[in-house]
């Protein structure tokens, strides 16, 4: 049995909102309008949602059976309160947000005026381009909703091509922190490694790192801490000391005059690796001593 076709209004044509709206449109839903403020959002809407009118929030609310709220986390609560205050929301309207941090409590003002709140978060980083559409296939998506509306949230995820995972309201902050820690901090780590390799003349640091990082990521996803290798896991304190000297030099010799942050990151992550290492206590103590040193900075 086919799901009913909905008139969907998009409030926030950012990287996530425009892509999800395009995917739902491909499933036969009508996009009634999109709210896009920045030039980038307007261009994105023109590319992913051609022919969809750019409208104000009140107009979108009035003409839509479902609101797709794809705005930054901190803006979601005020947006819900503002829409509810207009008195334009009809009873039975679906209100779906895409925040990983929030469940449905943040939409309480809309619930109070008769909307059915759903939280749907794809566990993916978005580019805001058509390339994201294929990445939705099989993508895990966390859903939070009242029991009555969980089937609706699940059906929307299936239409997007995703794999629904029911998540309790109180688990959303830790869920979101884990994803942000993994994805965002991975970018920082890789960028630091790229900068270091570029400093010593590696022409394409990304290509050089790719085989190593893809293998490490695959192993860590399969085996967790058992995938750890390197000097900390071997108890090689001398190697760690040499690394720290090289990274300190990297961080203090930037031509821009701004001290780098790679040494601090290395220390923090090596300490975390040390806590997972099964090595003799004497080796552990030597490495910990090196990593917990705080030599005075030249810019202090």
């Amino acid at each position: 049995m086919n799901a009913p076709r909905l008139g969907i209004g998009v409030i926030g044509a950012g990287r996530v909102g425009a892509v999800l709206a395009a995917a739902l449109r491909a499933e036969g839903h009508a996009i009634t309008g999109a709210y896009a403020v920045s030039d980038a959002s307007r261009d994105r809407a023109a590319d992913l949602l051609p022919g969809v009118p750019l409208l104000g929030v009140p107009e979108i609310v009035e003409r839509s059976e479902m609101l797709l709220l794809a705005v930054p986390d901190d803006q979601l609560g005020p947006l819900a309160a503002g829409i509810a205050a207009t008195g334009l929301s009809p009873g039975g309207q679906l209100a779906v947000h895409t925040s990983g941090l929030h469940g449905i409590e943040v939409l309480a003002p809309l619930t109070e005026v008769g909307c059915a709140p759903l939280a749907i978060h794809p566990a993916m980083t978005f580019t805001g381009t058509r390339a994201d559409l294929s990445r939705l296939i099989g993508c895990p998506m966390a859903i939070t909703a009242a029991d009555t509306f969980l089937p609706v949230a699940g059906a929307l995820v299936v239409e997007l091509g995703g794999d629904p995972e029911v998540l309790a309201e109180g688990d959303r902050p830790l869920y979101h922190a884990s994803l942000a820690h993994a994805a965002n901090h991975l970018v920082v780590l890789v960028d630091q490694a790229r900068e270091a390799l570029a400093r010593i003349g590696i022409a394409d640091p990304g290509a050089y790192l790719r085989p190593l990082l893809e293998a490490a990521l695959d192993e860590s996803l399969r085996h967790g801490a058992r995938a750890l290798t390197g000097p900390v896991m071997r108890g090689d304190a001398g190697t760690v000391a040499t690394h720290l000297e090289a990274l300190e030099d990297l961080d203090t010799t930037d031509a821009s005059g701004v001290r780098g942050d790679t040494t601090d990151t290395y220390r923090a992550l090596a300490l975390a690796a040390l806590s997972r290492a099964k090595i003799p206590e004497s080796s552990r103590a030597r490495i910990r001593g090196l990593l917990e040193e705080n030599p005075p900075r030249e810019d202090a």
Side-chain angles (χ1 to χ4, degrees), residues 111-241:
T111 306
E112 291 169 2
V113 296
C115 290
L118 310 176
I120 298 177
H121 177 256
M124 188 181 83
T125 185
F126 284 77
T127 64
T129 65
R130 294 184 180 276
D132 293 335
L133 293 171
S134 61
R135 294 174 183 151
L136 290 175
I137 307 302
C139 176
M141 300 189 189
I143 59 175
T144 302
D147 290 346
T148 304
F149 299 115
L150 277 176
V152 178
L156 285 169
V157 167
V158 169
E159 287 196 308
L160 289 167
D163 183 12
E165 179 74 26
V166 177
L167 202 62
E169 181 83 22
D171 290 338
R172 301 284 292 207
L174 181 57
Y175 159 80
H176 191 240
S178 68
L179 267 60
H181 181 45
N184 302 148
H185 298 161
L186 175 64
V187 171
V188 174
L189 174 65
V190 173
D191 190 51
Q192 290 174 337
R194 283 167 49 92
E195 289 177 348
L197 292 179
R199 181 75 67 88
I200 60 174
I202 301 295
D204 189 344
Y208 198 93
L209 286 166
R210 183 180 296 278
L212 171 68
L213 295 185
E214 288 182 345
L217 178 60
D218 183 66
E219 284 297 296
S220 63
L221 291 173
R222 292 174 182 273
H223 303 298
R226 286 186 293 145
L228 277 168
T229 62
V232 171
M233 304 305 290
R234 294 191 298 266
D236 291 340
T239 302
V240 172

Side-chain angles (χ1 to χ4, degrees), residues 36 40 60 65-66 89 97 99 102 117 126 129-130 163 165 170 187 195 224 227 234 239 264 273 275 281 288 299:
I60 291 174
E65 299 162 288
M66 171 180 144
S89 299
H97 78 69
S99 167
H102 295 291
F126 284 77
T129 65
R130 294 184 180 276
D163 183 12
E165 179 74 26
V187 171
E195 289 177 348
R234 294 191 298 266
T239 302
D264 292 339
S275 72
E281 285 305 313
R288 182 176 295 280
D299 61 351

Side-chain angles (χ1 to χ4, degrees), residues 199 249-260:
R199 181 75 67 88
D249 181 65
L250 172 77
D251 283 343
T252 56
T253 58
D254 190 336
S256 69
V258 178
R259 189 186 191 282

Side-chain angles (χ1 to χ4, degrees), residues 7 9 11 32 55-67 83 86-90 93:
I11 300 178
T32 58
L55 304 172
V57 172
E59 294 172 285
I60 291 174
V61 173
E62 281 187 310
R63 61 173 61 189
S64 303
E65 299 162 288
M66 171 180 144
L67 301 176
I83 293 173
T86 66
L88 297 174
S89 299
Q93 191 176 39

